[in-house]
């Protein structure tokens, strides 16, 4: 093939000298790229965080490209849980690597410490992006939903850019798809309802691609993309509005049945549900799936861009969610604030350097582990932080190692502080004050005393969940997930008393843990030592202390 240049007279000429010159340029550019690669030995990291994406009731089914490009190309963790099944506390756990009792974000309100000035002063400087930025090696990028109260004028408005982020494109407040405001490095950028310019999932994809195109190639990068989907209002892109026309919420064994042996909030749900509630939740289920098709497109665009740029082989791509969701389980129409698998279990797929394709791991992962793992990838010493989680990087690169199986934790903590109104719901006066998230047929999804803490155990000898409520009853729920995967039978009254005592002891230890003490051996670890002085009846209500801490 002839090569052409223009001479000073603007005439097209061809010469061996030009060809040699072109080759020298190419060699030089290649050498520069190699030099840059040597300057950039660390892997890049991409974290894609969805909003309310379950794994227990089919949430991953629409994400065909995501499963192929991340899960099939890497590892899927089948036992991944959140520290709290609500957006803001869970996201705070992801960012800080801490359980809620340590980062003190208890709900989605400013009063509950969600993006409050107290959070900004005490916790934001301790997030893993802040550590990455202090390290000076990584360039950092954020786009999407941050925390539910981010942008609140009482807490600095959209002008506040949290420490740790070089490039900041954050959604003001909660998930939306149109008619929203982004903080673009601290300046408000308002969007309307024009699909081609404003549909948020696509906007995030485009911003992410622009970052990959224009970032420095001399430094590794960390990129976090936080989609609105599949959170309500479940607004699909126009091309997907008619998808899944006949899809219904799965009719699993726990669908539309009475939770007669559960906490009072579950027992109050009407069974069978009204036809209007079933129609509503089926419609919501379809809409959720439709919004996920745009997330699937986003994942494909990001992965393909990394591939085209030659960076995919040196990039960890992590895909997960802030909490799960339910649609009709135990006759609760739609929400995510309960202790059961559908609300606390989330997807976790990772591809990256030294991760073999088509791997799965049953080891127990919590979202407090994401920060430590990302810091570990970046070469940061996690022990220099106060994070409660553990790095699962060794598991990703060697998931079948017997050493990993024998030394990895067997339990994690799940905490939730219920919310309720001080006044009775006018539509449901018989329920009295203290409830919230009520449907027209007086089925309420939350209440003040829907406040609980659980030990979730996954070990060779046990697959258990032990939960205690902070109420007058100190109500207890225990499930054997091996025999009862849909949590139909609360075995708290039939399980061996010694097991109850050990689990109660373990729960109190985890509720008061911090940093390294959160990683101590659990009940089903060989090194666990039970202290009989800490018995079942000795539990002190765990949330009272937290409320006092926030005052």
């Amino acid at each position: 093939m002839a090569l052409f240049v223009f001479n000073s007279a603007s005439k097209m000429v061809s010469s061996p000298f030009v060809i040699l010159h072109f080759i020298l340029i190419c060699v030089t550019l290649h050498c520069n790229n190699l030099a840059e690669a040597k300057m950039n030995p660390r892997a890049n990291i991409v974290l894609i965080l969805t909003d309310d994406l379950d794994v227990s009731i089919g949430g991953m089914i629409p994400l065909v490209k995501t499963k192929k490009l991340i899960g099939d190309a890497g590892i899927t963790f089948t036992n991944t849980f959140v520290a709290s099944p609500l957006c803001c506390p869970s996201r705070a756990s992801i960012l800080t690597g801490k359980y809620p009792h340590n980062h003190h974000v208890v709900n989605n309100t400013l009063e509950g410490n969600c993006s409050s000035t107290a959070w900004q002063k005490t916790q934001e400087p301790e997030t893993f992006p802040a550590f990455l930025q202090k390290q000076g090696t990584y360039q950092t990028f954020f786009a999407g939903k941050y925390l539910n109260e981010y942008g609140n004028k009482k807490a600095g408005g959209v002008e506040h850019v949290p420490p740790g982020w070089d490039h900041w494109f954050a959604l003001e407040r909660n998930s939306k798809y149109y008619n929203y405001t982004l903080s673009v490095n601290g300046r408000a950028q308002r969007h309307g309802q024009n699909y081609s310019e404003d549909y948020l999932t696509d906007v995030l994809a485009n911003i992410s691609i622009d970052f990959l195109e224009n970032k420095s190639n001399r430094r590794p990068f960390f990129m976090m993309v936080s989609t609105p989907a599949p959170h309500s209002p479940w607004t699909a892109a126009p091309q997907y509005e008619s998808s899944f026309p006949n899809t219904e919420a799965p009719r699993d064994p726990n669908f539309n049945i009475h939770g007669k042996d559960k906490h009072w909030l579950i027992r109050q749900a009407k069974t069978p549900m009204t036809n209007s509630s079933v129609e509503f939740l089926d419609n919501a289920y379809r809409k959720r799936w439709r919004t996920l098709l745009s997330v699937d497109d986003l994942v494909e665009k990001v992965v393909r861009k990394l591939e085209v740029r030659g960076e995919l082989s040196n990039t960890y791509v992590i895909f997960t969610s802030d909490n799960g969701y339910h649609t009709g389980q135990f006759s609760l129409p739609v929400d995510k604030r309960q202790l059961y698998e559908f609300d606390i279990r989330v997807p976790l797929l990772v591809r990256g350097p030294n991760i073999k394709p088509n791997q799965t791991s049953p080891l127990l992962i919590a979202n407090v582990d994401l920060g430590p793992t990302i810091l570990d990838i970046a070469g940061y010493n996690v022990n220099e932080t106060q994070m409660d989680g553990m790095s699962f990087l060794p598991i990703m690169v060697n998931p079948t190692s017997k050493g990993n199986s024998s030394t990895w934790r067997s339990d994690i903590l799940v905490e939730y502080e219920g919310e309720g109104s001080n006044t009775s719901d006018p539509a449901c006066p018989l329920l009295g004050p203290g409830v919230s998230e009520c449907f027209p047929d007086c089925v309420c999804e939350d209440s003040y005393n829907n406040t609980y803490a659980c030990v979730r155990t996954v070990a060779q000898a046990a697959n258990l969940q032990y939960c205690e409520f902070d109420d007058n009853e100190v109500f207890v729920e225990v499930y054997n997930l091996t025999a009862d995967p849909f949590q139909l039978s609360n075995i708290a009254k039939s399980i061996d008393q010694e097991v109850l005592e050990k689990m109660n002891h373990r729960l109190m230890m985890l509720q008061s843990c911090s940093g390294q003490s959160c990683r101590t051996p659990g009940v089903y670890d060989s090194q666990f030592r039970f202290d009989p002085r800490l018995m079942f009846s000795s539990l002190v209500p765990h949330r009272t202390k937290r409320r006092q801490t926030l005052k």
Side-chain angles (χ1 to χ4, degrees):
M1 181 179 72
L3 295 173
F4 300 95
V5 296
F6 286 93
N7 63 12
S8 57
S10 297
K11 294 180 180 179
M12 195 174 290
V13 298
S14 174
S15 72
F17 173 78
V18 172
I19 296 174
L20 178 61
H21 182 65
F22 179 83
I23 293 173
L24 288 173
I25 291 174
C26 292
V27 170
T28 302
L29 289 173
H30 179 67
C31 291
N32 286 340
N33 287 336
L34 289 177
E36 286 185 356
K38 289 180 181 179
M39 293 170 60
N40 179 10
R42 296 288 179 193
N44 306 308
I45 310 162
V46 175
L47 172 60
I48 300 172
L49 178 65
T50 53
D51 196 350
D52 287 1
L53 176 60
D54 67 275
V55 72
S56 295
I57 59 170
M60 288 298 296
I61 293 175
L63 295 164
V64 176
K65 292 181 283 192
T66 298
K67 288 184 287 185
K68 179 181 178 181
L69 294 172
I70 304 179
D72 293 351
I75 186 168
T76 299
F77 290 93
T78 57
N79 284 307
T80 304
F81 297 88
V82 296
S84 188
L86 189 64
C87 297
C88 205
S90 179
R91 289 164 182 267
S93 287
I94 291 171
L95 290 164
T96 62
K98 297 177 182 179
Y99 286 120
H101 69 264
N102 287 327
H103 62 58
H104 306 302
V105 178
V106 298
N107 57 44
N108 289 343
T109 68
L110 205 62
E111 295 74 21
N113 210 28
C114 181
S115 204
S116 67
T117 53
W119 154 267
Q120 293 171 13
K121 292 177 182 177
T122 63
Q123 299 302 319
E124 277 189 339
E126 303 297 315
T127 62
F128 74 83
F131 289 128
L132 287 179
Q133 194 178 59
K134 288 177 186 176
Q135 186 187 42
T137 304
Y138 278 74
Q139 50 192 319
T140 58
F141 166 93
F142 180 89
K145 177 178 173 178
Y146 179 59
L147 300 175
N148 297 58
E149 284 295 326
Y150 172 76
N152 192 310
K153 292 182 179 179
K154 295 180 180 179
V158 296
E159 293 78 17
H160 171 69
V161 177
W165 302 104
D166 301 319
H167 307 274
W168 179 252
F169 299 84
L171 176 67
E172 180 188 37
R173 304 294 182 95
N174 203 2
S175 281
K176 290 184 178 181
Y177 298 82
Y178 293 109
N179 298 310
Y180 56 86
T181 297
L182 290 180
S183 170
V184 178
N185 297 318
R187 299 184 66 179
Q189 182 186 89
R190 291 175 177 82
H191 286 259
Q193 51 188 10
N194 183 321
Y195 167 70
S196 62
E197 298 177 358
D198 302 313
Y199 189 70
L200 183 55
T201 307
D202 291 354
V203 168
L204 298 181
N206 295 335
I207 294 172
S208 301
I209 298 306
D210 287 345
F211 168 73
L212 293 175
E213 284 280 5
N214 298 302
K215 64 178 177 58
S216 168
N217 292 325
R218 294 180 175 271
R219 297 168 61 200
F221 67 87
F222 168 70
M223 182 168 78
M224 182 172 177
V225 186
S226 182
T227 72
H231 195 285
S232 61
W234 313 309
T235 308
Q239 66 270 30
Y240 297 133
E241 287 177 346
S242 300
S243 301
F244 313 116
N246 301 315
T247 298
E248 294 180 335
R251 268 54 172 173
D252 289 333
N254 56 12
F255 179 84
N256 201 12
I257 68 164
H258 186 226
K260 58 183 181 298
D261 57 3
K262 294 171 171 48
H263 182 237
W264 80 270
L265 186 65
I266 309 301
R267 296 198 303 266
Q268 62 87 33
K270 290 179 174 59
T271 305
M273 290 182 286
T274 61
N275 290 338
S276 60
S277 287
V278 174
E279 182 180 351
F280 177 82
L281 68 87
D282 278 338
N283 192 38
Y285 193 87
R286 284 188 290 274
K287 288 181 176 180
R288 283 166 53 80
W289 272 24
R290 291 166 183 163
T291 67
L292 287 170
L293 295 176
S294 294
V295 175
D296 218 25
D297 293 340
L298 179 152
V299 170
E300 181 181 42
K301 290 175 183 177
V302 169
V303 171
R304 294 305 183 207
K305 176 57 68 173
L306 290 168
E307 188 174 34
V308 167
R309 291 181 56 84
E311 296 177 309
L312 184 58
S313 62
N314 192 40
T315 301
Y316 288 93
V317 183
I318 306 167
F319 181 91
T320 190
S321 176
D322 58 359
N323 47 254
Y325 208 71
H326 60 256
T327 51
Q329 284 65 40
F330 302 125
S331 298
L332 297 172
V334 294
D335 200 49
K336 66 286 185 88
R337 302 159 204 260
Q338 309 306 326
L339 58 88
Y340 308 104
E341 294 288 282
F342 39 76
D343 286 356
I344 66 172
R345 185 189 287 266
V346 293
L348 178 59
L349 290 63
V350 190
R351 69 173 294 165
N354 301 314
I355 301 178
K356 296 179 181 178
N358 296 305
Q359 300 289 309
T360 60
S361 173
L363 296 183
L364 182 62
I365 306 295
N367 64 352
V368 295
D369 299 329
L370 288 168
T373 302
I374 290 169
L375 290 179
D376 193 11
I377 293 171
Y380 196 99
N381 186 355
V382 179
N383 292 326
E384 294 181 1
T385 74
Q386 294 298 313
M387 291 186 173
D388 303 332
M390 304 167 63
S391 170
F392 53 85
L393 179 60
I395 297 174
M396 293 197 292
V397 299
N398 197 357
T400 59
S401 169
K402 291 184 179 180
N404 285 332
S405 300
S406 61
T407 59
W408 191 251
R409 66 146 84 85
S410 67
D411 59 25
I412 59 162
L413 177 67
V414 179
E415 304 177 282
Y416 179 70
E417 178 165 338
E419 295 181 74
S421 172
N422 289 322
T423 58
S424 298
D425 189 318
C428 310
L430 294 179
L431 292 176
V435 295
S436 63
E437 307 296 322
C438 297
F439 282 79
D441 47 3
C442 295
V443 176
C444 299
E445 295 274 4
D446 206 5
S447 68
Y448 276 134
N449 62 355
N450 182 39
T451 294
Y452 56 80
C454 304
V455 178
R456 184 65 177 90
T457 299
V458 176
Q460 289 185 345
N463 186 7
L464 294 173
Q465 185 180 28
Y466 173 92
C467 301
E468 293 183 5
F469 281 82
D470 185 7
D471 58 12
N472 293 333
E473 296 178 274
V474 191
F475 194 84
V476 177
E477 295 189 31
V478 183
Y479 298 96
N480 178 350
L481 277 297
T482 300
D484 180 22
F486 294 99
Q487 297 170 290
L488 301 175
S489 300
N490 177 8
I491 60 173
K493 294 181 180 179
S494 60
I495 196 170
D496 187 274
Q497 183 68 18
E498 183 182 358
V499 175
L500 281 177
E501 292 170 355
K502 287 183 178 180
M503 296 302 288
N504 166 257
H505 168 54
R506 181 61 178 163
L507 179 61
M508 286 188 290
M509 289 180 62
L510 286 174
Q511 286 179 269
S512 60
C513 77
S514 178
Q516 182 63 42
S517 63
C518 297
R519 308 171 214 150
T520 56
V523 171
Y524 287 88
D525 290 309
S526 59
Q527 298 178 8
F528 177 80
R529 295 293 179 267
F530 174 56
D531 184 351
R533 293 172 297 178
L534 298 173
M535 302 298 285
F536 176 73
S537 60
S538 64
L539 179 69
V540 176
H542 54 281
R543 303 295 165 173
T544 304
K545 292 181 179 179
R546 184 187 300 173
R547 292 194 187 99
Q548 292 172 348
T549 301
L550 289 172
K551 290 180 180 179

